[in-house]
Amino acid sequence: MDKRSLEHLAGRFRESETRTEILRVELAAAIRQAATDDVPQKDICEATGYTRQQVRRIVKAETERDSAPVAPAGHNEGTA
């Protein structure tokens, strides 16, 4: 294998990682929407191949993010 071929393959791999991250975010949003639409968790697990615990974590992460307190502008947490 020459350097050019290796660079090409490495570039394709990095592009694949980027696409995977985008799809992971889209799937998480779809899981949260399905949960909001009262799709049974069992059905979400069957459709995605995720465990119930993984689905709960995805749904809970959004709930925690939405309910997290927002610090006032210019306020750095942990400084006196």
Side-chain angles (χ1 to χ4, degrees):
M1 169 149 317
D2 61 7
K3 182 179 177 183
R4 184 176 175 190
S5 297
L6 186 57
E7 287 172 341
H8 176 71
L9 186 57
R12 287 180 50 214
F13 180 76
R14 284 188 293 276
E15 290 170 4
S16 174
E17 287 180 314
T18 300
R19 286 192 307 270
T20 299
E21 179 61 18
I22 291 166
L23 290 171
R24 185 192 66 77
V25 170
E26 289 178 4
L27 180 57
I31 288 170
R32 287 189 291 273
Q33 184 61 53
T36 299
D37 294 344
D38 295 325
V39 173
Q41 192 178 64
K42 178 182 179 238
D43 292 347
I44 296 171
C45 293
E46 288 175 359
T48 62
Y50 285 2
T51 65
R52 288 178 179 262
Q53 183 178 10
Q54 288 171 309
V55 170
R56 282 191 298 270
R57 284 180 182 164
I58 291 167
V59 173
K60 184 179 177 183
E62 181 69 11
T63 303
E64 288 175 354
R65 188 182 66 114
D66 288 344
S67 64
V70 177
H75 176 73
N76 292 330
E77 190 172 323
T79 59

